[in-house]
Amino acid sequence: ECREANGEASLPYSDSRIAELLAYMAESSRGKPVSIAIPENDPRALAAYEEGKRYYYQRRGQLNFACATCHVQNVGKQLRSEILSPSLGHTTHWPVYRLKWGEIGNLHRRFAECHEQIRAPKPAEQSSELRHLEYFLSFMSNGIPVNGPSTRK
Ligand code: HEC
């Protein structure tokens, strides 16, 4: 919106320049605890949280897995070369420079990969499904300090 107001073309969320901007913002918030309050006087906020929660626990894809199947029930187990992490803290360290990507990328790109792993259709980046999922996961990380940007393989 700011770019458009200044006569520039808007950038899609997937553009690495947006990820770089998010990296700057994450860095400037480092050490501050995540503090998401669901406003009581706005039922849309609670509805978004509930939808995110439902999405997180819903099974999908050819493998019929939910996010929780891997990131709650199978935490600590190995999936090929990777050890499954708990969802707690999953949103605090973005954006991430991944060696696999060769560039910095955003959280919804990682969500997409988790959908591919279970052979499920992936919602578009910044779709309401993924935004609500991010809201739910961010609330789950309340109290954990922001520590982005970071690096993953
Ligand atoms: C088949 C198991 C599996 C399922 C189901 C799955 N993931 Fe993942 N996910 C992984 C693996 C493996 C990794 C990389 C290792 C790790 O950090 O846990 C990962 C990593 C992540 C990361 C990055 C963690 C980090 O520290 O960088 C996020 C965020 C994430 N998953 C979210 C989700 C969400 C949200 C869902 C549901 C839409 C989901 N995952 C479903 C296997 C899975």
Side-chain angles (χ1 to χ4, degrees):
E1 275 175 12
C2 284
R3 283 175 63 92
E4 279 172 0
N6 287 287
E8 307 254 9
S10 64
L11 294 173
Y13 175 72
S14 56
D15 193 294
S16 61
R17 283 169 291 176
I18 291 283
E20 286 162 11
L21 188 60
L22 290 173
Y24 169 73
M25 290 166 77
E27 163 75 30
S28 66
S29 299
R30 266 199 176 177
K32 293 185 185 142
V34 175
S35 175
I36 310 284
I38 300 173
E40 284 175 16
N41 57 0
D42 189 345
R44 293 172 304 173
L46 184 59
Y49 172 87
E50 292 293 351
E51 276 170 40
K53 183 176 178 181
R54 196 170 336 112
Y55 196 90
Y56 183 80
Y57 287 105
Q58 197 171 55
R59 289 176 176 271
R60 62 178 54 80
Q62 222 174 353
L63 300 190
N64 202 28
F65 276 27
C67 308
T69 314
C70 285
H71 293 297
V72 175
Q73 288 161 1
N74 284 296
V75 168
K77 288 193 190 146
Q78 211 163 336
L79 196 97
R80 295 206 186 104
S81 65
E82 296 180 300
I83 295 172
L84 287 169
S85 58
S87 290
L88 204 60
H90 261 185
T91 56
T92 60
H93 57 277
W94 291 85
V96 164
Y97 184 93
R98 282 191 70 193
L99 304 184
K100 183 179 174 184
W101 295 339
E103 61 181 0
I104 196 155
N106 60 52
L107 178 64
H108 291 196
R109 187 169 172 187
R110 174 73 245 197
F111 285 167
E113 267 190 44
C114 285
H115 282 76
E116 280 164 18
Q117 289 185 107
I118 53 168
R119 299 188 202 124
K122 41 186 186 197
E125 292 188 352
Q126 284 300 315
S127 58
S128 59
E129 287 98 327
L130 296 192
R131 288 206 312 266
H132 295 163
L133 182 60
E134 179 175 356
Y135 190 45
F136 168 70
L137 285 172
S138 301
F139 186 87
M140 193 193 286
S141 290
N142 262 347
I144 299 177
V146 172
N147 56 353
S150 62
T151 310
R152 293 285 187 274
K153 61 172 185 165

